[in-house]
Amino acid sequence: MPRFSGKANFKELQQLQQRFDRITNNQADEINEELVKTKAALFLRNVIPITPVGVYNTGQVGGTLRRGWTVKSEREAELGSTFGGSTNIQKHVDEDLKPKKRGKDYTVEIVNLVSYASYVNYGHRTRSGGYVNGQFFLEKALSQTDVNASKVLNRKLNTLLRRALDGN
């Protein structure tokens, strides 16, 4: 059985413990909310580029569905191409997505406000009796997000904890 003989100075370890103890519940909530927003931004970065854009017989190219992830209304998504709509993901996450705490869980609701989004994602029947297959862009983006989330969230958590422990 290994033995330890000698002296050990645990002062730095005790100081670290004291700094962890100083992280208040409010700081812990802020850290968790920031992590939820980070994951939401990651999801939006994955889903927006793979959301289908309609190409019509007239040669017109759509984009309403794609813009629907970062707008406040379907009409805003429709007018985005006319008036130079933006998909500033971080701005949308910071200003519009409000994390909610339920028990110990933090959630944020991400919605595409375009009324036909579910039909494009899951598929739908046509008036002539046919069927249009779904694109499943939502599921693909969720899968991509899950693959990358732990690395991104660990990096963000380290930054936030360092900031909290330093007292900033």
Side-chain angles (χ1 to χ4, degrees), residues 53-63:
V53 173
V55 178
Y56 304 99
N57 295 337
T58 62
Q60 182 182 1
V61 177

Side-chain angles (χ1 to χ4, degrees), residues 37-124:
K37 284 183 164 189
T38 300
K39 189 165 184 180
L42 180 61
F43 169 75
L44 287 169
R45 281 189 200 93
N46 288 328
V47 77
I48 290 171
I50 64 173
T51 299
V53 173
V55 178
Y56 304 99
N57 295 337
T58 62
Q60 182 182 1
V61 177
T64 300
L65 184 59
R66 188 174 283 182
R67 286 186 300 275
W69 291 108
T70 58
V71 295
K72 294 180 177 76
S73 70
E74 183 170 3
R75 186 69 177 142
E76 186 181 334
E78 291 169 351
L79 294 174
S81 63
T82 307
F83 297 107
S86 160
T87 56
N88 187 333
I89 293 169
Q90 198 57 53
K91 180 180 178 191
H92 174 64
V93 168
D94 291 340
E95 294 178 3
D96 301 327
L97 298 182
K98 306 294 182 212
K100 294 181 178 81
K101 183 178 180 182
R102 294 186 182 112
K104 292 183 178 183
D105 296 329
Y106 292 80
T107 60
V108 67
E109 186 175 46
I110 302 171
V111 179
N112 189 313
L113 294 172
V114 177
S115 59
Y116 55 85
S118 63
Y119 302 115
V120 176
N121 190 61
Y122 299 115
H124 60 90

